[in-house]
Amino acid sequence: MYNGAIRVTWKKSAGYKADCFQIFRSTKKTTGYGKTPIYTTKTGKATYYTNSKALKKGIRYYYKVRGMRVIDGKTYYTKWSNICYRTATKTFR
């Protein structure tokens, strides 16, 4: 928890360059992440995301992250990160 919000951090993989990172969230461990990310970083230098929108107290949220790079107009993705989970302690709107 970070100031009442959920902070997700990750490390960049060695040998991979990323233009940005995509963060996906679910309330289930293996399903429910959807096809569109809840947030896409603006640069590939970001190493964390603070989620404070649409959280409900006591709900466990699962997060996973992947890097994205565009080369010659084609989009490439890195492997998924490990799934991490956090439980919200406050309600946000």
Side-chain angles (χ1 to χ4, degrees):
M1 299 302 294
Y2 183 76
N3 291 337
I6 295 176
R7 177 174 266 196
V8 179
T9 61
W10 60 89
K11 292 182 182 178
K12 294 182 235 175
S13 298
Y16 290 98
K17 292 183 180 179
D19 293 335
C20 63
F21 291 94
Q22 295 179 328
I23 298 93
F24 291 78
R25 181 182 77 179
S26 175
T27 55
K28 301 174 189 172
K29 186 173 183 178
T30 57
T31 62
Y33 291 96
K35 293 184 179 183
T36 57
I38 61 164
Y39 185 74
T40 301
T41 63
K42 296 188 182 359
T43 67
K45 295 183 179 184
T47 57
Y48 69 90
Y49 167 67
T50 305
N51 183 204
S52 61
K53 293 183 179 181
L55 298 176
K56 293 184 182 177
K57 184 177 179 179
I59 300 294
R60 179 177 285 179
Y61 294 98
Y62 296 89
Y63 294 88
K64 62 183 182 178
V65 179
R66 70 178 175 183
M68 185 177 81
R69 184 147 193 210
V70 178
I71 301 173
D72 294 330
K74 188 170 180 182
T75 304
Y76 296 92
Y77 298 101
T78 64
K79 292 182 180 179
W80 289 105
S81 67
N82 292 334
I83 295 173
C84 69
Y85 64 88
R86 304 287 185 268
T87 303
T89 58
K90 291 185 178 181
T91 300
F92 292 90
R93 294 179 191 178

